[in-house]
Amino acid sequence: MILLSPTDPSVPIAWDAGSTPGTDISIRVGADVGPSAFIIRTMERTGQRMNDAGQVTGVVDDARTMAELAVREALLVMLDQTYPRDSLATRMEEIAEEASVVDWSEWEFTQIVVDGVGFALRVRHQQPPGFVAIADLGDAVVTMRGKELPADRRFTLHRRL
């Protein structure tokens, strides 16, 4: 297991529903509502492997794919739970299409500090107010999304022993 969490132990965290045990873990950071809440998804680099069905699996970790993943997750969360069923598939296709258009001019770099080491965090602010972000930490790749980019960007990477 590998996951990124805030260094400050007083910041509440909880498992997020999107987690996959082991190598793809999402946590909710901060309160469930308000500008302090955001999601961190940590995906461990496991290399390309063959599964029992003979298919190649692994974390897609290039910046463009990570950006598309982060934007898609943020847009899907904004779907209203009462979205009309007959329009849902069309709207999901539109979201996938919108997320696939990565315009790097809309992204800026800032720094996160992970266990004392500065890493580049690529951030895109979007409407309605919110952000998505991606980072390459070497052993893992990370996406973040939420209403407001945290002011304290010090994190710890927890690794299985």
Side-chain angles (χ1 to χ4, degrees):
M1 179 180 86
I2 188 168
L3 76 96
L4 187 72
S5 71
T7 300
D8 182 353
S10 70
V11 175
I13 64 171
W15 297 110
D16 192 61
S19 294
T20 302
T23 61
D24 187 345
I25 299 175
S26 296
I27 60 170
R28 178 174 295 281
V29 179
D32 286 337
V33 295
S36 65
F38 65 101
I39 303 291
I40 299 175
R41 181 176 180 183
T42 310
M43 295 164 279
E44 182 177 10
R45 278 198 170 98
T46 57
Q48 288 189 324
R49 299 180 181 185
M50 297 292 287
N51 65 19
D52 292 340
Q55 299 168 324
V56 177
T57 63
V59 173
V60 179
D61 55 12
D62 64 281
R64 182 168 295 279
T65 303
M66 289 172 48
E68 182 180 336
L69 175 65
V71 171
R72 183 178 295 172
E73 287 176 343
L75 291 172
L76 286 173
V77 166
M78 292 188 312
L79 275 179
D80 186 32
Q81 291 179 358
T82 59
Y83 209 87
R85 182 177 283 257
D86 59 344
S87 304
L88 185 60
T90 302
R91 181 61 188 131
M92 289 181 73
E93 286 176 18
E94 291 169 355
I95 286 172
E97 201 171 296
E98 184 178 340
S100 69
V101 179
V102 178
D103 180 357
W104 289 124
S105 69
E106 298 175 356
W107 295 73
E108 61 189 45
F109 282 102
T110 189
Q111 179 173 275
I112 59 173
V113 177
V114 179
D115 299 322
V117 177
F119 287 91
L121 181 70
R122 193 174 267 188
V123 180
R124 177 181 151 194
H125 299 279
Q126 55 187 40
Q127 296 298 326
F131 79 95
V132 292
I134 59 173
D136 183 338
L137 307 179
D139 291 343
V141 291
V142 173
T143 65
M144 296 181 186
R145 61 182 163 82
K147 295 179 183 176
E148 187 175 305
L149 188 64
D152 184 356
R153 293 192 278 276
R154 294 174 296 145
F155 297 91
T156 297
L157 194 60
H158 305 272
R159 294 176 172 89
R160 66 173 164 249
L161 301 176

